[in-house]
Amino acid sequence: MTQELWTNVDRYLDDALSASDDMLAAVQQESAAAGLPQISVSPAQGKLLFVLAKAIGARRILELGTLAGYSGIWLARALPADGRLVTIEVDRAHADVARRSFGRARVSHLVDLRVQPALDVLPQLAAEGAGPFDFVFIDADKVNYPEYLEWGIRLSRPGALLIIDNVVRDGEVANDASTDASVLAVRRMMSSIEQDGRIVATAIQTVGVKGYDGFAAVVVN
Ligand code: SAH
Ligand code: DHB
Ligand code: MG
């Protein structure tokens, strides 16, 4: 099986299940034109976030790593009219594009975009009493994933769902000789999950337009 087949099947699924539309395509085009890295979740993955957030009736969602706002749009669309998405982005240029994306998607009124390092914002959210969150999407810098998971759990209610992107990375997660800082951090996060009585979790490998990767899914007890 090849990348070409995975890409074709993703195109088929996005088309069959309406995971793309003109607005979302325009958001991705503007992000590319602004020179942002094209590393957002895929359309089918974005719609999965939407389906999951809707399934648990999420009213407060936390996202780490906004980029151009693509995944954030899917998350915001899952919210009720009085819901809230807090999304954190360290890069001002990315945040500027994301703000336009949220406007284009008509979800700005639901979005609280914080432009600071996530590890600075997370304690602020705790101090503000911004939580508890029902749904957390962790997708910022991989080296801080263990800390992000800890904060995600602390800021969440019992029954909250945490989805963590990029936990497989072409299978590197299973390479116990890896010296890559991101891989080492994901492996550290995985072993802490298994020892953490506050949560239960699994992880799933994925293929598609973004290649071979995976998500972890964590539920807070
Ligand atoms: N969730 C987005 C993709 C995020 S890409 C989507 O699917 O559409 C990862 C993002 O995390 C990048 O925009 C990067 O600038 C941001 N990031 C990296 N380190 C960060 C940090 N310490 N705090 C907050 N954001 C960070
Ligand atoms: C990268 C980051 C991501 O969040 C992703 O989904 C894919 C790639 C990266 O930093 O290369
Ligand atoms: Mg990602």
Side-chain angles (χ1 to χ4, degrees):
M1 283 193 290
T2 63
Q3 179 62 56
E4 189 187 357
L5 178 61
W6 303 341
T7 299
N8 285 340
V9 173
D10 248 354
R11 290 212 179 105
Y12 162 76
L13 294 173
D14 297 345
D15 193 39
L17 301 174
S18 302
S20 299
D21 59 33
D22 290 348
M23 182 276 295
L24 288 167
V27 161
Q28 294 293 52
Q29 270 157 28
E30 186 169 345
S31 164
L36 271 52
Q38 299 301 289
I39 56 175
S40 75
V41 294
S42 70
Q45 291 171 345
K47 198 164 184 186
L48 176 66
L49 296 174
F50 167 84
V51 165
L52 293 172
K54 236 183 146 49
I56 65 162
R59 307 178 70 83
R60 292 183 193 172
I61 300 179
L62 174 63
E63 175 179 64
L64 311 189
T66 316
L67 189 60
Y70 182 80
S71 54
I73 290 171
W74 280 111
L75 292 168
R77 282 174 160 184
L79 288 167
D82 61 346
R84 194 121 208 96
L85 167 67
V86 177
T87 182
I88 309 174
E89 174 54 56
V90 72
D91 187 308
R92 188 155 288 282
H94 295 185
D96 287 344
V97 176
R99 226 172 268 114
R100 289 200 293 277
S101 302
F102 295 136
R104 202 190 272 273
R106 306 202 181 286
V107 294
S108 303
H109 60 294
L110 299 168
V111 180
D112 177 358
L113 171 58
R114 309 280 180 109
V115 190
Q116 277 181 76
L119 287 177
D120 292 349
V121 177
L122 291 161
Q124 287 168 21
L125 294 176
E128 287 168 21
F133 292 95
D134 309 300
F135 189 102
V136 180
F137 180 48
I138 298 178
D139 194 21
D141 52 316
K142 315 311 164 195
V143 290
N144 286 314
Y145 268 22
E147 289 74 22
Y148 294 158
L149 176 68
E150 177 59 33
W151 277 108
I153 296 167
R154 254 195 253 175
L155 289 167
S156 292
R157 67 160 167 85
L161 177 59
L162 286 69
I163 299 290
I164 304 147
D165 196 22
N166 311 116
V167 299
V168 172
R169 300 307 280 273
D170 290 311
E172 270 304 293
V173 71
N175 175 8
D176 60 14
S178 176
T179 55
D180 182 279
S182 297
V183 172
L184 289 171
V186 170
R187 288 174 63 89
R188 237 184 326 121
M189 181 191 71
M190 290 296 201
S191 60
S192 80
I193 286 177
E194 192 43 35
Q195 288 154 25
D196 195 324
R198 297 170 298 176
I199 55 177
V200 287
T202 190
I204 286 292
Q205 305 178 63
T206 59
V207 296
V209 285
K210 289 190 72 183
Y212 170 37
D213 211 325
F215 288 112
V218 176
V219 174
V220 179
N221 286 320

